[in-house]
Amino acid sequence: MLNKIFSTYLILINLFSIILMWMDKRKARHNKWRIAEKNLFILAFAGGALGIYIAMNLFRHKTKKLKFIIGIPAIFIINIIIAYWLTQTFV
């Protein structure tokens, strides 16, 4: 049961991450209010790093910013370690 909830959470947060990156790219093109980078990093730390990484490459967004090029994959590795630990500890 807990595994299913955790899996659903990861799927939803990563879909949400992709949508937010798409929205930010769209707003950037139209010179409108943008989503703060710190919020994207918070979302990545909360489990959405894979979604942000996919969106970076899919929409070619934030791909020239070093903190995203290095930071998001690093956070994704941390996400994997935490997910592994959680599944081994609580399931």
Side-chain angles (χ1 to χ4, degrees):
M1 176 68 177
L2 197 56
N3 240 355
K4 188 174 180 178
I5 293 170
F6 186 61
S7 298
T8 303
Y9 168 77
L10 287 177
I11 290 168
L12 291 175
I13 197 160
N14 281 289
L15 287 174
F16 184 64
S17 298
I18 292 170
I19 291 167
L20 276 186
M21 286 288 283
W22 171 77
M23 288 173 55
D24 192 52
K25 174 69 174 194
R26 191 165 169 227
K27 289 173 186 258
R29 285 186 176 171
H30 293 81
N31 292 323
K32 294 192 176 186
W33 165 86
R34 304 279 304 279
I35 298 166
E37 289 181 352
K38 72 174 185 169
N39 292 336
L40 296 173
F41 275 98
I42 289 169
L43 194 58
F45 274 111
L50 179 60
I52 290 177
Y53 185 75
I54 290 169
M56 281 174 58
N57 292 293
L58 186 64
F59 306 128
R60 297 181 189 175
H61 188 49
K62 306 278 189 196
T63 55
K64 294 183 180 179
K65 295 201 169 220
L66 191 58
K67 63 182 168 182
F68 277 85
I69 294 169
I70 294 171
I72 296 301
I75 295 169
F76 179 59
I77 292 168
I78 293 168
N79 284 174
I80 291 171
I81 292 167
I82 291 171
Y84 177 78
W85 178 78
L86 286 172
T87 56
Q88 296 302 309
T89 304
F90 296 109
V91 179

